[in-house]
Amino acid sequence: MQSLDYSHIKNLDDWKNKIFCGDCLEVLQNFPDASVNLIVTSPPYADSRRSTYGGIHPDNYVEWFLPIAKELQRVLRDDGTFILNIKEKAVNCERHTYVIELILALKKQGWLWTEEYIWHKKNCTPGKWSNRFRDAWERCLQFNKQKKFKMNQDAVMVPTGDWAKTRLNKLSDNDKIRFNSQVGSGFGKNIANWVGREMAYPTNVLHLPTECSNKSHSAAFPKSLPTWFIKLFSDEEDIILDPFLGSGTTCVAAYELNRNYIGIEIKEEYYKIALANLDAVKVPFVQNSLF
Amino acid sequence: MQSLDYSHIKNLDDWKNKIFCGDCLEVLQNFPDASVNLIVTSPPYADSRRSTYGGIHPDNYVEWFLPIAKELQRVLRDDGTFILNIKEKAVNCERHTYVIELILALKKQGWLWTEEYIWHKKNCTPGKWSNRFRDAWERCLQFNKQKKFKMNQDAVMVPTGDWAKTRLNKLSDNDKIRFNSQVGSGFGKNIANWVGREMAYPTNVLHLPTECSNKSHSAAFPKSLPTWFIKLFSDEEDIILDPFLGSGTTCVAAYELNRNYIGIEIKEEYYKIALANLDAVKVPFVQNSLF
DNA sequence: ATTAAGATTGAATCAATTA
DNA sequence: ATAATTGATTCAATCTTAA
C-alpha cells in the first residue's frame, strides 16, 4: 500500500471529490473538524475467518470501531448524520451481540441513537438451515450529534395509489436510477412534478434489492441505499463521507446527486475498483459536454 | 381483581386451555417446570404514561422484566422457544435502549438469543414528525434454552413464482386465516397439496398488516403473527403460553391450530375481552356438533 | 415491441471434516 | 480440545436469449 502524508493539505477543497487508499483512522485524523454533512458507510462485517476482507473478530468489533467513531464524530458537522449499515452474524447458533453493544458504546461516546431503519433485502442470499431461515434484513442505524439535524423528508417521498402500481412498477430499478441521475435531484420529487399525483412519506422500512450485478467485486450495498439516505440527510453541494468505501458505491451515489464525496478504502484492490466505478459514471457527462 | 390461589392445582391438565386473570409473575410461580412448548407474547411496552396498559417506565423496564423471564425460563421445555414481540419507543428524539439492554440481560440469565425476526407492518398508522418517519416495524426476538429446539420449517412455507403473484395475492388475509383455521394444520402445507406448485422457505422478515378490527386493545398484534410462530415452533397438542395475553389473540390462534393454550392477563378489563374472544371462536364448533 | 423461458449470482450458515 | 476449511443447502431478482 502506498505511504500517505496528508499534513500538507490545508483546506477542505483539497479533500472534496477524492477517494483515498489508506486506514480510515489515520486518514480521518488529517480532516478538519465539523467538515462533513453526512456519513454513510457499511463497515467490514465481523468475521472469524482471517482470509476475508477486514477480518475483525466479533468479540473485538466494538473496541476496533470506537476510535474510528470518535474521529467520525469530530469531522461531522453538528447538524450532520451518521448512517451505519450493519448486521450481526449468527455465531454458534446465536445472533452475536456486537452490534447492540456497539450502539450502547456509541451512545456513551456521545452519539444520539436517533433511529433504526430496516433494509429489507428483497432478493437476499438463499439458504436453509436447521434452526433459522434466510437473513433478509440489515440494520441502518442513524446516529446524530444533536437533536436538530438536517432532514429533507420531501426528497424521498414515494408515489401512491393506482398510478404507482400501474406505471412505476414497470420501470426497473436501473431505469429509476438512470432517470434520477439525469435529473439530479431526486426521483420521487420529479415524478411528483411530472404527473401531479399523490405522494406519501415513506416509513423506516426500506425495500431494496441486493445488487445482483455480475461485477468481480461483491457490492456491499445497492446504490439505492446510500442514494436514499443522501437525498434525505443532505443538500446539493454538501459533503458525503464513506470511510469504508469498498467498491465506491457511496461516492457514485453522491456524485450522481450533485453532492461532494470523500471516500476512504484500506484495500488497494477495492480502491482501484472504486476509482474505476467513479470514472465510469463521470464519462457520459464529459461526452455530453463535447457536443 | 379477584384473589387467586392456585396451590391446589396438581397437574398440567388443570392449566391447559384456560386463561387466568392475575400478575403473570405470581401465576407462573404455580406452574410446573418444563411444561410449556412455546411462549409467544407482546408485553406492555415501556411508557411514561401512567394511564395506559401496564405503564412501566423505560428506565425500569429491564429490572421489571427479568424476574418474569426467569419464570418463563423455568416453565419452558428444553426444546421450547420464547418469542418476544417488542419495540422500543422514541424518547426525547432518540430510540431508547431498554430493548437491546434486555437482550443482553436475558443472555446473562442463560437464554440463547437465537434470532431476531422483523415484523414489517404493512399498513401502519400514518404519521410524520420533524425528525423521523412512521415506525413500520417491530422486533420479534427469539430466545431458546438450548441450540436444538423444535422447528417445523415446512409448516410456514410459502408459494413461489408466478402462481403466488397471480393467485395468492388476490386472497385476503381473512380468507387465508379462515381456510387455515378450518383445516387446522398450516395454510402453506395445504396449499402445497392443493396445487402442487413450488413452495419456498420464508425469510426472517414477516410482512403482516396491523389488525384494524381489534380496537378494544391498545397494543394488539395481528393474529397472523402468533399464528406464524405457533406453526413454526410447535406441534399440535403442544402447550402455548402468553403471559401478557391482552385481548386473547395468542390463545385464539393456538386454539385454531389445535394447540393447547394458557393465557395470563393482569387487567380484568382485557381478561374479560379475551374470554369473550375465545368464546366467539369456539361457538361455531359447538353449533356444528349439534347437527 | 413484449413476453417467456433459461441462466446466473449471491457480505449465508451450519454440519462435518481437517489441521 | 479448538480453530479453520469444505460441502450441502436454497431461491428471488436480474440478465440473457428465444419465441
Side-chain angles (χ1 to χ4, degrees):
Chain A
M1 193 188 310
Q2 66 207 77
S3 168
L4 299 169
D5 177 18
Y6 303 118
S7 56
H8 62 287
I9 301 180
K10 300 292 182 205
N11 63 56
L12 202 61
D13 284 336
D14 297 322
W15 295 93
K16 275 160 51 174
N17 299 315
K18 290 190 176 64
I19 66 175
F20 302 92
C21 185
D23 184 321
C24 68
L25 186 56
E26 297 173 19
V27 177
L28 283 170
Q29 279 162 0
N30 297 287
F31 275 55
D33 293 354
S35 52
V36 167
N37 297 93
L38 172 64
I39 302 165
V40 181
T41 197
S42 183
Y45 288 9
D47 202 330
S48 50
R49 291 174 298 176
R50 274 194 210 153
S51 57
T52 54
Y53 185 105
I56 299 98
H57 194 279
D59 296 343
N60 308 325
Y61 202 85
V62 175
E63 66 174 319
W64 167 78
F65 196 83
L66 278 183
I68 298 167
K70 196 72 199 170
E71 283 301 304
L72 296 177
Q73 197 174 31
R74 186 183 61 78
V75 303
L76 187 66
R77 290 171 56 100
D78 287 344
D79 66 345
T81 292
F82 170 29
I83 298 293
L84 182 61
N85 167 230
I86 197 168
K87 181 64 187 286
E88 58 271 12
K89 299 270 181 180
V91 176
N92 206 13
C93 302
E94 257 193 297
R95 285 286 162 199
H96 203 283
T97 55
Y98 59 88
V99 172
I100 60 180
E101 285 165 11
L102 180 59
I103 294 173
L104 297 175
L106 288 174
K107 273 181 64 75
K108 271 191 189 160
Q109 206 176 51
W111 291 98
L112 301 178
W113 179 34
T114 308
E115 181 58 300
E116 179 170 351
Y117 291 86
I118 292 295
W119 168 27
H120 171 224
K121 298 190 277 188
K122 289 197 298 188
N123 58 340
C124 58
T125 310
K128 177 186 171 296
W129 305 275
S130 59
N131 54 2
R132 65 181 67 254
F133 290 131
R134 286 174 294 156
D135 190 3
W137 65 280
E138 295 191 9
R139 306 177 196 276
C140 294
L141 303 167
Q142 178 191 350
F143 296 96
N144 290 94
K145 294 176 78 170
Q146 57 185 36
K147 292 178 189 175
K148 297 279 185 183
F149 49 86
K150 182 183 290 190
M151 190 178 192
N152 301 320
Q153 298 192 343
D154 291 345
V156 293
M157 291 186 83
V158 289
T160 64
D162 296 335
W163 178 80
K165 287 170 188 164
T166 55
R167 302 272 183 88
L168 198 67
N169 278 354
K170 292 188 177 178
L171 293 176
S172 70
D173 284 292
N174 274 341
D175 288 337
K176 292 176 193 172
I177 291 166
R178 196 173 305 125
F179 173 76
N180 183 36
S181 60
Q182 286 168 0
V183 296
S185 61
F187 177 69
K189 214 168 190 173
N190 289 283
I191 291 287
N193 298 336
W194 221 19
V195 186
R197 283 299 197 95
E198 305 157 60
M199 303 290 287
Y201 292 103
T203 69
N204 57 0
V205 177
L206 281 65
H207 300 274
L208 304 174
T210 54
E211 205 114 302
C212 206
S213 63
N214 41 12
K215 296 294 176 77
S216 57
H217 177 257
S218 53
F221 46 45
K223 195 168 62 180
S224 47
L225 188 71
T227 294
W228 197 83
F229 287 110
I230 290 169
K231 285 183 197 169
L232 181 58
F233 292 119
S234 74
D235 299 316
E236 295 195 4
E237 307 301 331
D238 278 357
I239 298 180
I240 316 296
L241 167 67
D242 187 343
F244 303 100
L245 187 59
S247 54
T249 310
T250 301
C251 290
V252 169
Y255 174 81
E256 292 181 344
L257 294 169
N258 290 330
R259 270 72 166 176
N260 295 297
Y261 59 81
I262 303 176
I264 308 171
E265 171 54 41
I266 193 168
K267 288 241 184 184
E268 197 165 359
E269 174 192 353
Y270 295 133
Y271 168 75
K272 288 177 178 171
I273 294 170
L275 275 180
N277 286 336
L278 271 166
D279 283 343
V281 292
K282 289 180 178 180
V283 165
F285 289 79
V286 174
Q287 287 179 330
N288 285 338
S289 68
L290 293 175
F291 286 164
Chain B
M1 192 187 310
Q2 66 207 76
S3 167
L4 299 169
D5 177 16
Y6 303 119
S7 55
H8 62 287
I9 300 181
K10 301 293 182 205
N11 63 55
L12 204 60
D13 285 334
D14 297 322
W15 295 93
K16 275 161 51 174
N17 299 315
K18 290 190 176 66
I19 66 177
F20 302 92
C21 185
D23 185 321
C24 67
L25 186 55
E26 297 173 19
V27 177
L28 283 170
Q29 280 163 0
N30 297 287
F31 275 54
D33 293 354
S35 51
V36 167
N37 297 94
L38 171 64
I39 302 165
V40 181
T41 197
S42 184
Y45 290 6
D47 203 331
S48 47
R49 292 174 298 173
R50 283 277 168 80
S51 60
T52 55
Y53 186 106
I56 299 96
H57 193 279
D59 296 342
N60 308 324
Y61 201 85
V62 173
E63 64 174 321
W64 167 77
F65 196 83
L66 278 184
I68 299 167
K70 196 73 197 169
E71 282 302 304
L72 296 178
Q73 197 174 33
R74 185 183 62 78
V75 303
L76 187 65
R77 290 170 56 100
D78 287 345
D79 65 345
T81 293
F82 170 28
I83 297 293
L84 182 62
N85 168 229
I86 197 167
K87 181 64 188 283
E88 58 272 9
K89 299 268 182 184
V91 176
N92 204 14
C93 302
E94 258 193 298
R95 287 286 162 197
H96 203 283
T97 55
Y98 59 88
V99 172
I100 60 181
E101 284 165 12
L102 180 59
I103 294 172
L104 297 175
L106 288 175
K107 272 181 64 76
K108 270 189 189 161
Q109 206 177 52
W111 291 98
L112 301 178
W113 180 33
T114 308
E115 180 58 300
E116 179 170 349
Y117 290 86
I118 293 296
W119 168 27
H120 170 225
K121 297 190 275 190
K122 287 197 298 189
N123 58 341
C124 62
T125 52
K128 174 184 170 294
W129 300 270
S130 62
N131 55 2
R132 63 182 68 253
F133 289 130
R134 285 174 295 158
D135 191 2
W137 66 279
E138 295 191 9
R139 308 177 195 276
C140 294
L141 303 167
Q142 178 191 350
F143 296 96
N144 291 94
K145 296 177 76 170
Q146 56 186 35
K147 293 180 190 175
K148 297 278 187 181
F149 49 86
K150 182 183 291 191
M151 189 179 194
N152 300 319
Q153 299 192 342
D154 291 344
V156 292
M157 292 186 83
V158 290
T160 67
D162 297 335
W163 179 81
K165 286 171 189 164
T166 55
R167 303 276 182 85
L168 198 68
N169 280 354
K170 293 186 177 177
L171 293 176
S172 72
D173 285 290
N174 274 342
D175 288 336
K176 293 176 193 173
I177 292 166
R178 194 174 305 127
F179 172 77
N180 181 36
S181 60
Q182 286 168 0
V183 296
S185 61
F187 176 69
K189 219 168 188 173
N190 288 283
I191 291 287
N193 298 336
W194 221 17
V195 186
R197 286 294 289 262
E198 304 157 62
M199 304 290 288
Y201 292 103
T203 70
N204 58 358
V205 177
L206 280 65
H207 301 272
L208 304 174
T210 54
E211 200 120 306
C212 302
S213 60
N214 214 345
K215 293 172 184 173
S216 53
H217 190 255
S218 54
F221 48 44
K223 193 168 64 180
S224 48
L225 187 71
T227 294
W228 197 81
F229 287 111
I230 290 168
K231 284 184 200 168
L232 181 57
F233 292 120
S234 75
D235 299 316
E236 294 196 5
E237 308 300 332
D238 278 358
I239 298 181
I240 317 295
L241 167 67
D242 187 344
F244 304 100
L245 186 59
S247 54
T249 311
T250 302
C251 289
V252 170
Y255 175 79
E256 291 182 343
L257 294 169
N258 290 330
R259 271 71 166 177
N260 297 296
Y261 60 80
I262 302 174
I264 308 171
E265 171 54 40
I266 193 168
K267 289 242 183 182
E268 198 165 359
E269 175 192 354
Y270 294 128
Y271 168 74
K272 287 177 178 172
I273 295 170
L275 274 181
N277 286 335
L278 270 166
D279 283 344
V281 294
K282 290 181 179 180
V283 165
F285 290 80
V286 175
Q287 287 180 329
N288 285 339
S289 69
L290 294 175
F291 286 163

